[in-house]
Amino acid sequence: MRLLVTQVPTDRETGPLAIVFALGTAQTIAWASSYYLPAILAAPIARDLGLAPTYVFGALSGALVISGLLGPRVGHAIDTFGGRGLLAVSNLVFVAGLLLLSVAHGVVVLVAAWVLLGIGMGMGLYEAAFATLARIYGSNARRTITGITLIAGFASTLGWPLTTWLAAEYDWRVACQVWAAIHICLALPLNLSLPRAVPLDQQPRPDPGASPISGQQSETFAMVLLAYMFAAASFVSSGVSAILPTMLVAFGATPAQALLAGTLVGPAQVGARLLEAGWLGRFHPLLSARLAMLMNPIGVVALVAGGPLLASTFTVLYGAGNGIITIARGTLPLALFGPAGFGRRVGTISLPSRATGALAPLALGVMVERFGSSALWISAVASISAFFALLLLRADQTK
């Protein structure tokens, strides 16, 4: 059935580079003002409200669960109507959540603010952006998906210093209000600059490398495997990120060595994404994802064998794996299933990963208390199990 959606040419009036820049910048703002906000503001918010910081991080975990539950519905809406309008609405929801947070004086308003931010995250983070690009470019969206992750990969690099400066010079309430203003003045116009959706039957034809899943493997089975893989990857990413400095010190690194090693995670993510945009882009995304899931276990083995001398090796491998898996969240379902129904599928597949990402810091933190540095092996086992799940996936390769 043909969808009667207004067509706006994407390649002539709005080129891919302009779309990647606009959406990548808007994604940077969305991530910096939501997911990365508590890392800087949890302590001052908790202190001002007379609460423990765990309340703020708990509110973030709840927001992640809300965003995951919204994923399938948001994806279906983008499949049907395109993502331009929905991403713009997400900016307004972020604004409402940030302004409400800025006037919070107790738990009730704090939780209400993070409920709104969770709705904004469900409507406006990577899954929605990936679905929007798939709606614009069809099976040819792989390079644009990679492009926006390259830009938005600097969300913490840019967002944390700005949030820190605002909180120090003014206070955390002003910081939230400034982020709300940035959404209105910058992110909202950028999302509105995106082209409207084209009818599905007028999308670009897939390139030879974006082949659908083999007919011998059921879609449901493949989606279950993908959901498990991304859930395991999210558990490792969120959990290890939360305990990384403590874990490296437990392996014998000095605090200075742990800090230096930790600073390499971001550059490693960007470097891996550049590799995905270049050499790895010639192959099916299954290859990239399988390689990415091996990075953390190899890093753990190196850290155990070499101790603090190889702490940087571990963080580089860990960061590289995270960087590629972020891209695979969009490119792998697109290559396996095609663009039709992409948003709904990605939203469904991401549900378990939202839950594991929310629970991982607490779970691994408890494991560190009980088992010490041996807890890092749990992350390695999770990554290896995800690797074997990817080995069960099959796709017709034409490259």
Side-chain angles (χ1 to χ4, degrees):
M1 183 178 70
R2 177 173 174 173
L3 294 173
L4 297 177
V5 184
T6 305
Q7 179 182 3
V8 176
T10 61
D11 291 323
R12 294 181 182 178
E13 295 182 9
T14 309
L17 287 178
I19 291 175
V20 166
F21 175 79
L23 191 51
T25 303
Q27 283 292 293
T28 301
I29 295 168
W31 281 94
S33 62
S34 60
Y35 183 83
Y36 291 115
L37 205 63
I40 304 301
L41 297 186
I45 290 175
R47 183 171 57 250
D48 199 15
L49 273 58
L51 303 170
T54 51
Y55 277 90
V56 182
F57 288 109
L60 171 62
S61 296
L64 290 172
V65 173
I66 291 171
S67 69
L69 292 173
L70 287 175
R73 292 184 178 274
V74 169
H76 178 70
I78 294 176
D79 290 337
T80 306
F81 304 108
R84 177 178 180 267
L86 192 139
L87 287 171
V89 171
S90 78
N91 294 127
L92 300 179
V93 177
F94 277 127
V95 169
L98 288 164
L99 291 179
L100 186 60
L101 180 60
S102 74
V103 298
H105 289 282
V107 175
V108 174
V109 178
L110 173 70
V111 171
W114 277 101
V115 168
L116 284 173
L117 289 171
I119 295 171
M121 291 162 73
M123 299 171 64
L125 294 186
Y126 273 150
E127 285 81 3
F130 294 161
T132 298
L133 292 173
R135 193 64 176 79
I136 295 172
Y137 293 108
S139 295
N140 298 327
R142 181 174 180 177
R143 289 189 179 276
T144 54
I145 288 174
T146 302
I148 67 166
T149 63
L150 280 171
I151 297 174
F154 291 98
S156 60
T157 305
L158 300 174
W160 281 343
L162 177 58
T163 303
T164 300
W165 179 78
L166 289 169
E169 288 293 318
Y170 305 97
D171 62 24
W172 66 269
R173 298 181 188 277
V174 172
C176 292
Q177 292 163 5
V178 169
W179 278 117
I182 292 173
H183 271 282
I184 291 293
C185 297
L186 185 56
L188 178 61
L190 287 173
N191 280 329
L192 288 174
S193 73
L194 299 173
R196 294 183 176 87
V198 299
L200 290 175
D201 58 4
Q202 295 182 26
Q203 286 186 337
R205 294 181 180 179
D207 62 35
S211 51
I213 192 166
S214 169
Q216 297 179 351
Q217 191 172 62
S218 74
E219 177 181 315
T220 300
F221 180 64
M223 287 185 64
V224 169
L225 289 176
L226 278 184
Y228 175 79
M229 186 275 288
F230 287 128
S234 182
F235 177 84
V236 172
S237 175
S238 298
V240 173
S241 293
I243 65 172
L244 184 58
T246 303
M247 184 63 66
L248 293 179
V249 170
F251 271 96
T254 66
Q257 288 174 322
L259 179 61
L260 175 62
T263 61
L264 298 176
V265 173
Q269 289 183 151
V270 173
R273 289 171 184 172
L274 288 172
L275 183 64
E276 164 66 21
W279 179 71
L280 285 174
R282 299 182 297 169
F283 303 98
H284 196 284
L286 267 175
L287 175 63
S288 300
R290 288 167 180 167
L291 291 174
M293 295 317 303
L294 291 176
M295 295 295 100
N296 180 62
I298 293 173
V300 171
V301 171
L303 184 59
V304 171
L309 290 177
L310 294 182
S312 295
T313 300
F314 167 75
T315 55
V316 166
L317 290 170
Y318 163 74
N322 284 349
I324 293 177
I325 284 297
T326 299
I327 298 172
R329 292 182 185 278
T331 59
L332 192 49
L334 183 64
L336 291 174
F337 307 117
F342 173 84
R344 176 186 58 81
R345 287 192 185 93
V346 169
T348 301
I349 290 168
S350 69
L351 263 172
S353 67
R354 295 287 193 185
T356 57
L359 295 174
L362 175 61
L364 275 181
V366 171
M367 292 175 191
V368 169
E369 290 179 0
R370 297 197 63 178
F371 307 114
S373 59
S374 297
L376 199 57
W377 284 109
I378 296 172
S379 73
V381 171
S383 296
I384 291 172
S385 69
F387 171 76
F388 281 111
L390 286 171
L391 289 181
L392 294 176
L393 280 171
R394 300 189 306 272
D396 295 323
Q397 304 253 358
T398 58
K399 282 193 176 182

